[in-house]
Amino acid sequence: MRNELIAIEQSGIYSNFGPVNARFEQAILEAMFGGAGACLTVSNATAGLMIAIQYAIGKNSPRRRYALMPSFTFAAAAQAALWNGLIPLFCDIDDEFWTPSADAEQALIERYRDEVAVIVPYATFGNGLDLARYQRLSQRYGVPVVVDAAASLGSTDGRGRGFGAGFPFLFVFSLHATKAFAAMEGGLIYSSDPSVLASLRAMSNFGFEVPRLATTRGLNAKMSEVHALLALAKLPEIGDVVARREAAARLYRARLEGWVFQRAAVHRQSHMFAPVLLPRGLRARRSKLVRQLAEEGVGVGTYFSPHLAEHPYFAATCVAGDLSRTEDIAGRILALPLSDGITPDEIAFVCDSLLRLCGSEGA
Ligand SMILES: *Cc1c(COP(=O)(O)O)cnc(C)c1O
């Protein structure tokens, strides 16, 4: 790594799609997406979502002003839509997969029809989505799809292909420090259609389709050579990282028998943490439990609670359909700690602490 950093220093090329970045884009395209289509690095997934949504809505009629997305996701998706002048339209999630509910999406699309500009489903916590269903939805209603796959880099299907491989939508992945495929900060956009990514590349570089000449809307969303180097170094490890994290997730499931975990829709899931639902009877005690666990040295999150429709800014600017399953799941979720190096003893400690603090109600 040190030598490669020195090589970047000596080359004098620090950004603007340099040679390390080009190597990473090609290597990940081959490793994850069977070498077909194209990958574009971005500075982070939020900027990636901004340009992907901008590209997808294109020259839409201004009547199309809604971005259909789940409320059970991270603020980045709603912010990216708002930066594009769209109003997030929040739908409910499926109670087993925790991904956007097909019925809820259908109902909102039927209700808002030609006012929906883009569908932005979230592949929740690295889980899969029924992408064939999104193809049908997109064709039937003439609405483009941008997939928030922020946590999905490393998730694969039964043939070992990365989530999204072969699909023409724009898939936006994050390489943020909190994700399984972590390179400090970074993002990646994949599409099976290389011509789409050529336009996005210009958009990520001030809208320059010709050197230093803005011909389309853009911003600076480029990845630096140092970040690309970190990402390139991570690539050969990702299979092991995901396998270790999956083994840890299985241990959590075994030790918290009878608790409700997310149902998987991918062959291998790239886990950021180990989300589990508190029994309904303990819902009101969640914040106290989180505090008590912290006192024992166990850092537990509550992603995504509050869910987006509950954030003050989004409550004031966005529109929501029925969110009863989101309310239920967000109200009970606990994100238990997971890292590349977490040990079985640490997992046992977390689970024993949780079970003890929950008392007989957690059984
Ligand atoms: C992490 C995350 C993002 C944002 O990714 P950044 O690379 O940090 O911008 C967007 N959406 C979801 C669902 C995420 O989990």
Side-chain angles (χ1 to χ4, degrees):
M1 180 65 75
R2 188 168 182 273
N3 288 342
E4 280 122 337
L5 283 167
I6 291 168
I8 290 174
E9 174 76 39
Q10 285 174 344
S11 76
I13 303 171
Y14 301 107
S15 184
N16 291 23
F17 316 119
V20 183
N21 185 73
R23 264 164 63 205
F24 173 62
E25 287 181 352
Q26 192 55 37
I28 195 158
L29 184 68
E30 272 156 29
M32 300 267 175
F33 306 105
C39 284
L40 167 70
T41 57
V42 280
S43 49
N44 58 67
T46 309
L49 285 166
M50 286 169 68
I51 59 172
I53 292 172
Q54 174 64 217
Y55 177 86
I57 62 177
K59 294 181 181 62
N60 258 349
S61 128
R63 206 178 136 64
R64 292 199 180 266
R65 59 203 162 133
Y66 292 114
L68 179 61
M69 64 178 66
S71 188
F72 191 69
T73 186
F74 187 57
Q79 296 288 19
L82 286 159
W83 274 101
N84 276 296
L86 298 175
I87 302 168
L89 173 61
F90 297 129
C91 69
D92 213 353
I93 48 171
D94 180 89
D95 55 7
E96 290 184 80
F97 296 105
W98 307 348
T99 49
S101 142
D103 294 347
E105 280 177 333
Q106 179 77 26
L108 286 173
I109 291 186
E110 278 294 334
R111 183 154 149 215
Y112 291 92
R113 280 261 172 176
D114 52 357
E115 293 175 272
V116 178
V118 62
I119 308 172
V120 189
Y122 168 41
T124 314
F125 304 142
N127 207 358
L129 293 171
D130 183 353
L131 295 171
R133 178 173 74 77
Y134 283 101
Q135 277 189 306
R136 291 194 296 274
L137 208 58
S138 176
Q139 268 155 20
R140 176 153 175 218
Y141 294 96
V143 181
V145 177
V146 171
V147 181
D148 183 348
S152 296
L153 215 43
S155 291
T156 51
D157 66 17
R159 288 186 289 163
R161 296 196 316 169
F163 173 67
F167 283 86
F169 309 137
L170 291 168
F171 291 85
V172 182
F173 301 91
S174 173
L175 281 69
H176 187 261
T178 49
K179 313 295 200 253
F181 194 116
M184 292 192 183
E185 286 274 11
L188 186 82
I189 307 180
Y190 161 80
S191 173
S192 64
D193 182 349
S195 69
V196 173
L197 283 204
S199 299
L200 282 164
R201 192 180 294 280
M203 292 172 75
S204 77
N205 189 31
F206 313 102
F208 291 165
E209 285 169 306
V210 177
R212 282 181 287 287
L213 200 59
T215 49
T216 184
R217 190 175 292 193
L219 47 71
N220 179 3
K222 298 182 303 272
M223 179 181 273
S224 80
E225 287 287 272
V226 170
H227 286 91
L229 182 63
L230 294 175
L232 195 57
K234 187 79 177 196
L235 188 54
E237 295 169 15
I238 187 62
D240 281 350
V241 165
V242 171
R244 264 183 276 144
R245 285 170 172 258
E246 273 209 315
R250 274 196 300 275
L251 272 182
Y252 271 118
R253 280 171 197 253
R255 283 201 90 100
L256 295 174
E257 212 197 316
W259 287 54
V260 179
F261 286 83
Q262 181 183 31
R263 186 168 162 201
V266 272
H267 184 69
R268 293 184 78 172
Q269 186 169 348
S270 184
H271 294 280
M272 309 167 66
F273 36 69
V276 64
L277 301 189
L278 266 180
R280 286 205 171 79
L282 290 171
R283 191 188 155 117
R285 275 176 52 196
R286 181 174 61 175
S287 37
K288 188 171 171 201
L289 278 170
V290 169
R291 265 198 317 278
Q292 289 173 317
L293 285 163
E295 280 161 19
E296 302 198 5
V298 179
V300 168
T302 55
Y303 309 106
F304 295 102
S305 173
H307 58 86
L308 296 191
E310 296 177 317
H311 290 232
Y313 184 60
F314 302 136
T317 50
C318 306
V319 176
D322 172 60
L323 297 177
S324 40
R325 279 168 292 187
T326 302
E327 298 284 346
D328 178 47
I329 289 166
R332 295 196 282 142
I333 201 148
L334 281 182
L336 304 177
L338 199 66
S339 65
D340 294 358
I342 194 165
T343 64
D345 284 350
E346 286 168 328
I347 291 170
F349 182 80
V350 172
C351 295
D352 292 348
S353 301
L354 178 61
L355 289 169
R356 177 170 35 75
L357 291 167
C358 287
S360 54
E361 290 159 279

